[in-house]
Amino acid sequence: MSLRVRSALLAMAASAALAGCASHEDAHTLTLWTIGREGEAMATLVPEFEREHPGLHVKVQQLPLTAAHQKLLTAIAGGSTPDLTQLGNTWIPEVAALHAIEPLQARVDGSKVIDQNDYFQSIWSTNLVDGTLYGVPWYVDTRLLFYRVDLLKQAGFDHPPANWDEWRRMLAATSHPDRRIYGALLPTNEFEQLLSLALQQPEPLLRDDNRYGNFRSAGFKRALAFYVDTFKLHQAPAITNVEAGNPWTEFGRGVYAFYFSGPWNIGEFRKRLPASEQDDWSTAPLPGPDGPGASNAGGSSLVIFRSSKHKDEAWQLIEYLSRPQVQQRFYDILGDMPPRRSSWEGGKLHDDPKARAFSEQLERVKPTPPIPEWERIVTEMQLVAAQAIAGQLTVDQAAEEIDRRADAILEKRRWVMDHHSMKRDSSQAQGARDE
């Protein structure tokens, strides 16, 4: 055998071996995309899943939060999506509209692990788009009050606020703007605070099947007025989160009595404040206009891409990550709170009084409108609200302007829905004529 022929045969054998390896890897590798720090927890959680499923390997890829949205859209357009991914709840309607992810209700109905009734109801509903389930909640995020117990006590209050009137009195009693001390920190470039107050109202934020804004409703104006008045009364500084500097240090110094934030800050305050100050702060559910109030239903879910060749295996991973004991470990690692009530019955969550307020709040959260345009709308809402805070617009003018911007964003949605309605009516009329 000549050297040239031998080399050619060796090259062919090597190519075949590589192809076989690639095929083997493809058949036994699941690719999971995570966004931000959640990927760090997978290094701890995935090995047990792989031990339970010999021959199945999970490849975890972390996407930076700032680039995740564009990366997902690029992958969908290019047909290069992973098997499954973490997806923010407000992104699900957009990705579902692109027909990129699998409906999951049939899998949930046949699951011995996932009990739909065990999930906080409004968190579960964030995964529904036009009645179809596209994801399973992985962890939850909502906003409530971090507050200084000692400062309220000095002001004559032995409990957190139960309603808006009581909260207003507490804000007034703890605000000393001449000394740059304020009742609350509400960064003017964050929409979550106003959004939560708006979700406490009886009217929806959008109307006519989410075709138009509903920000001129009496409820939204009530929320906006309470929010704007907090700044006008100098009970919160009109600054952005960049201008606020280090909120943990300022909270510890008593610059703010209330801090409106999410579950990750339990760990941050425990880490950043000295042991001598740990009893000075606590958490409380949001007060509403007339009693306990709603907050936003946020967090991330797990979805399976339609293009995946390993949907059954991807579902097995979702079931594993949905186990209460795994969700408890997930909380221990990152502080991400579980969406299942049973996951709160054991571990550190069960014995943590500062986490308990989040469990109470999660029973009173509301989802935002399930449409792809929502993030653009809520961003415009906050931009206009900042103008009202600055005194450039009245509450009525701001509400009208938010509606105008929302209606402009929803113009294409209205056209698509009207076009589909016309086609359906035409088809029905033709069917009637044929009969």
Side-chain angles (χ1 to χ4, degrees), residues 172-206:
T174 55
S175 295
H176 306 283
D178 56 318
R179 290 186 279 143
R180 295 187 178 180
I181 293 176
Y182 302 91
L185 174 62
L186 306 171
T188 58
N189 62 333
E190 294 180 358
F191 64 77
E192 288 84 0
Q193 293 89 337
L194 175 56
L195 174 61
S196 295
L197 299 178
L199 288 170
Q200 295 176 351
Q201 310 306 315
E203 300 95 333
L205 295 170
L206 302 179

Side-chain angles (χ1 to χ4, degrees), residues 68-140:
H69 187 262
Q70 186 59 44
K71 174 72 172 177
L72 283 166
L73 294 182
T74 301
I76 292 169
S80 57
T81 52
D83 294 292
L84 68 166
T85 188
Q86 166 192 354
L87 203 60
N89 293 348
T90 58
W91 293 2
I92 289 177
E94 179 180 13
V95 180
L98 297 172
H99 304 288
I101 49 179
E102 280 280 298
L104 296 179
Q105 189 63 57
R107 292 185 182 274
V108 169
D109 291 342
S111 177
K112 296 181 179 180
V113 176
I114 296 176
D115 178 3
Q116 180 174 333
N117 296 320
D118 189 33
Y119 286 75
F120 295 107
Q121 182 178 0
S122 290
I123 296 296
W124 185 268
S125 68
T126 62
N127 288 260
L128 293 168
V129 180
D130 296 330
T132 299
L133 181 74
Y134 287 101
V136 172
W138 187 22
Y139 67 86
V140 293

Side-chain angles (χ1 to χ4, degrees), residues 230-277:
T230 305
F231 297 94
K232 288 185 175 181
L233 294 168
H234 304 291
Q235 295 169 358
I239 57 176
T240 66
N241 54 15
V242 175
E243 296 170 293
N246 187 323
W248 308 282
T249 300
E250 300 296 88
F251 185 77
R253 289 177 53 228
V255 175
Y256 310 110
F258 294 98
Y259 183 38
F260 197 117
S261 193
W264 63 89
N265 266 321
I266 291 179
E268 291 298 326
F269 281 123
R270 284 177 169 155
K271 179 174 64 177
R272 295 170 183 268
L273 298 184
S276 60
E277 297 179 8

Side-chain angles (χ1 to χ4, degrees), residues 406-424:
D407 291 350
I409 292 171
L410 294 169
E411 181 179 5
K412 183 176 180 180
R413 174 179 176 80
R414 291 193 297 275
W415 182 90
V416 171
M417 294 181 71
D418 291 344
H419 183 67
H420 286 173
S421 178
M422 290 172 59
K423 287 182 64 177
R424 183 181 64 249

